[in-house]
Amino acid sequence: MKKNLLILMLLATTGSIFAQQQMKPEETEDWSKQPPIVNPGRPGQPPSDAIILYRGPQDAVNWVHENGTSIKWITDTSLTVTARSGGIKTVRSFGDCQLHIEWRSPSVVSGTGQGRGNSGVFLMGKYELQVLDSYNNETYYNGQAGSIYKQFIPLVNASRRPGEWQSYDVIFMAPRFNPEGQLLSPAYFTVFHNGVLIQNHVGLRGPTEYIGIPVYKAHEDKLPISLQDHGNPVSFRNIWIREL
Ligand code: MG
């Protein structure tokens, strides 16, 4: 029995090797879809097919407050939270995307835990990638910088010192729902913090909630990205996005 199996395996292997030898190299070449050309730009610059969301005061028009009014945040070379003016969101809506965003918590450290340099990047206005000064600042781990708030602890803490610019590079996949509103696939995040992988294709349990267990509710394919006003003067700059 064992011997027969061995012979069969041997035949199968020699068979596939024989088939390999019969094939031409061209038979496994794929010419079906030429990748479009993208100029990656110089280091630190957005690629040529990116949509610019903020690079300077002229880009303030890309943002409004949650209630639709024009923004009261400080708009110069960076975008800085004006405490208690409310969160802001993009005018345009996005679903699956690659997002680059740089942020800086205040150099003058005040507060502890969640009160220190807190903001957030909300994909689709619902799924928060936490922004926090997590340099020598302990809080619950699924609430520190780079966490998917209260759902996923970052793989490592790649935080820079307060007052230094930091970057998030995000691959986000929007959740999918069927026409009846049932979840087909969850929202996924992959995130690099200062170039270091901190979230590796994590599937969310629902919107990121401050209190309670997350539950999905069907929503649009595309929604604005929002930035949180948590009362701390966190700054953002060089924000660009590529739709996927
Ligand atoms: Mg936050």
Side-chain angles (χ1 to χ4, degrees), residues 47-54 92 94 239-243:
S48 59
D49 64 346
I51 298 163
I52 305 300
L53 293 177
Y54 199 86
R92 276 182 71 162
F94 301 96
I239 312 170
W240 54 260
I241 191 166
R242 297 179 62 246
E243 295 190 281

Side-chain angles (χ1 to χ4, degrees), residues 34-90:
Q34 184 180 28
I37 290 169
V38 170
N39 181 347
R42 289 206 294 273
Q45 302 289 307
S48 59
D49 64 346
I51 298 163
I52 305 300
L53 293 177
Y54 199 86
R55 296 195 79 196
Q58 72 281 359
D59 300 317
V61 292
N62 297 329
W63 299 85
V64 289
H65 275 289
E66 308 275 14
N67 62 8
T69 58
S70 57
I71 60 173
K72 296 176 194 74
W73 288 22
I74 300 161
T75 54
D76 47 32
T77 51
S78 60
L79 195 51
T80 301
V81 175
T82 299
R84 285 166 291 281
S85 67
I88 63 172
K89 62 179 181 179
T90 54

Side-chain angles (χ1 to χ4, degrees), residues 114 117-122 128-132 143 149 228 230:
Q114 292 289 308
N118 194 335
S119 183
V121 182
F122 287 72
E128 183 184 11
L129 168 59
Q130 174 71 308
V131 169
L132 193 75
Y149 188 71
Q228 186 181 43
H230 203 280

Side-chain angles (χ1 to χ4, degrees), residues 14-25:
T14 46
S16 71
I17 290 169
F18 184 69
Q20 291 265 21
Q21 284 169 345
Q22 291 298 96
M23 284 180 83
K24 295 189 179 71

Side-chain angles (χ1 to χ4, degrees), residues 44 57 124 135 153-154 157 167 232:
M124 308 193 93
Y135 190 88
I153 297 170
N157 181 352
S167 65
N232 304 134

